[in-house]
Amino acid sequence: MATLSCQFHLAIHRLPCNARVRPSFSCSVQPSQSNIKVVINGAAKEIGRAAVIAVTKARGMEVAGAVDSYCVGEDIGKVCDMEEPLEIPIVNDLTMVLGSISQSKETGVVVDFTKPSAVYDNVKQATAFGLRSVVYVPRITVDTISALSAFCEKASMGCLVAPTLSIGSILLQQAAISASFHYNNVEIVESRAHSTDLPSPDAIQIANNLSNLGQIYNREDLSTDVSARGQVLGEDGVRVHSMVLPGLPSSTTVYFSGPGEVYTIKHDITDVQCLMPGLLLAIRKVARLKVTDRIAEYTLCLSSSILFRTLQK
């Protein structure tokens, strides 16, 4: 698609008194910037289906491929209950999708919702075809992140690994860090509908953020081994309590206390849609990366994300 731009030029010349000044204008046709081609790996999952819908509605990007081992051959638009099919079948071969996008020589991003054991190979394949990656896979190991960092630096290709895509969760983490300098006691209480992965990655991330800040919390019972007092994460006394009840929203609350007051920060997740603004922001950011030079904390609202970022030279 091309856009039409017009420039209006007014030229005044010395003419006889009875002559008129005639304006002139010129038009030029300029190519518009192409959309970011987005591949959703794990497209049949709940978060994958939400991502397909979000990318389809977003400006400047489009779904270019859907990869999953479920619903293979079905149109991803129909799987997502969209009004019209996208005419993009779900395939279980990531390489095939990457090859078709790389031939178009357009900017491409692979969003990875798969599993920790598959992340490294997926990013490696995407990089080989010239595509950047956004990875949102809970419980990804530090060793995998280190391996990704080394690989992406060698390949000069950007990659973003996000512990969370929820902007509200990140704002909670930022507020908790600020509060930690003013209070000596802190407890994290979380609720989940299912008992998998507890303490949750969010709770672990908050505890890690509050550790190593020169503060020792809950000094009065720091060494207690009473199970009801929760699990201590790290060496600075941050305690986490996990509550599991079917039907509960995914909730994280951080309690701080000092003499005569209690400060509470709470964040509830009621739907996977809350992750989509952060996902779209991550796609746009990683698409602009060119040369990887270090791991850095990125403060957009993805401040807790690990970003292999570029500096424009």
Side-chain angles (χ1 to χ4, degrees), residues 19-211:
R20 293 182 179 180
V21 177
R22 295 183 178 180
S24 63
F25 68 92
S26 62
C27 296
S28 61
V29 178
Q30 298 177 350
S32 61
Q33 187 175 3
S34 60
N35 289 341
I36 301 170
K37 307 296 184 182
V38 181
V39 178
I40 308 297
N41 194 0
K45 296 182 177 181
E46 180 184 9
I47 187 173
R49 298 194 302 271
V52 169
I53 296 172
V55 170
T56 301
K57 294 180 178 180
R59 296 180 61 183
M61 63 181 70
E62 62 183 90
V63 177
V67 182
D68 207 300
S69 57
Y70 296 95
C71 303
V72 175
E74 296 185 36
D75 185 274
I76 187 59
K78 291 184 177 180
V79 172
C80 297
D81 294 325
M82 301 178 69
E83 294 182 358
E84 297 181 359
L86 294 180
E87 298 183 356
I88 299 175
I90 297 177
V91 299
N92 58 1
D93 187 352
L94 177 61
T95 304
M96 182 174 65
V97 178
L98 297 176
S100 62
I101 296 176
S102 65
Q103 291 178 359
S104 67
K105 300 186 182 301
E106 297 187 54
T107 301
V109 173
V110 178
V111 178
D112 196 322
F113 296 132
T114 57
K115 55 186 179 180
S117 60
V119 167
Y120 181 82
D121 288 338
N122 291 341
V123 173
K124 189 174 180 180
Q125 287 185 60
T127 301
F129 285 94
L131 277 72
R132 298 155 180 83
S133 297
V134 172
V135 178
Y136 178 63
V137 178
R139 299 293 178 179
I140 187 171
T141 65
V142 175
D143 291 341
T144 301
I145 293 174
S146 299
L148 284 174
S149 174
F151 175 77
C152 290
E153 182 174 3
K154 184 177 180 180
S156 297
M157 184 63 67
C159 175
L160 188 149
V161 180
T164 182
L165 291 171
S166 166
I167 292 176
S169 177
I170 292 168
L171 292 175
L172 180 146
Q173 293 180 33
Q174 293 176 339
I177 292 173
S178 297
S180 67
F181 295 101
H182 305 283
Y183 297 98
N184 296 323
N185 301 288
V186 60
E187 305 266 336
I188 301 172
V189 179
E190 61 177 354
S191 65
R192 298 291 186 269
H194 307 286
S195 60
T196 57
D197 293 336
L198 294 175
S200 69
D202 283 348
I204 294 172
Q205 183 70 39
I206 295 169
N208 290 338
N209 288 343
L210 298 181
S211 299

Side-chain angles (χ1 to χ4, degrees), residues 153-312:
E153 182 174 3
K154 184 177 180 180
S156 297
M157 184 63 67
C159 175
L160 188 149
V161 180
T164 182
L165 291 171
S166 166
I167 292 176
S169 177
I170 292 168
L171 292 175
L172 180 146
Q173 293 180 33
Q174 293 176 339
I177 292 173
S178 297
S180 67
F181 295 101
H182 305 283
Y183 297 98
N184 296 323
N185 301 288
V186 60
E187 305 266 336
I188 301 172
V189 179
E190 61 177 354
S191 65
R192 298 291 186 269
H194 307 286
S195 60
T196 57
D197 293 336
L198 294 175
S200 69
D202 283 348
I204 294 172
Q205 183 70 39
I206 295 169
N208 290 338
N209 288 343
L210 298 181
S211 299
N212 301 317
L213 296 177
Q215 176 77 285
I216 301 297
Y217 308 97
N218 309 315
R219 291 177 181 271
E220 294 181 0
D221 62 348
L222 182 63
S223 59
T224 182
D225 57 357
V226 177
S227 299
R229 288 292 293 115
Q231 179 180 348
V232 176
L233 295 181
E235 300 178 354
D236 296 341
V238 180
R239 295 185 180 276
V240 178
H241 309 261
S242 299
M243 178 172 60
V244 178
L245 284 173
L248 281 179
S250 178
S251 177
T252 303
T253 306
V254 185
Y255 293 92
F256 291 93
S257 73
E261 67 174 342
V262 175
Y263 176 54
T264 305
I265 315 170
K266 185 177 181 181
H267 177 244
D268 294 335
I269 293 178
T270 59
D271 193 275
V272 72
Q273 293 295 331
C274 74
L275 306 179
M276 296 304 106
L279 174 64
L280 298 179
L281 190 53
I283 291 171
R284 291 189 174 103
K285 292 295 181 180
V286 81
R288 293 200 291 263
L289 301 185
K290 293 183 179 178
V291 180
T292 306
D293 66 343
R294 68 175 183 272
I295 300 179
E297 294 296 322
Y298 198 79
T299 57
L300 70 74
C301 273
L302 287 173
S303 59
S304 68
S305 298
I306 301 168
L307 177 65
F308 311 127
R309 63 183 293 197
T310 71
L311 295 179
Q312 305 294 336

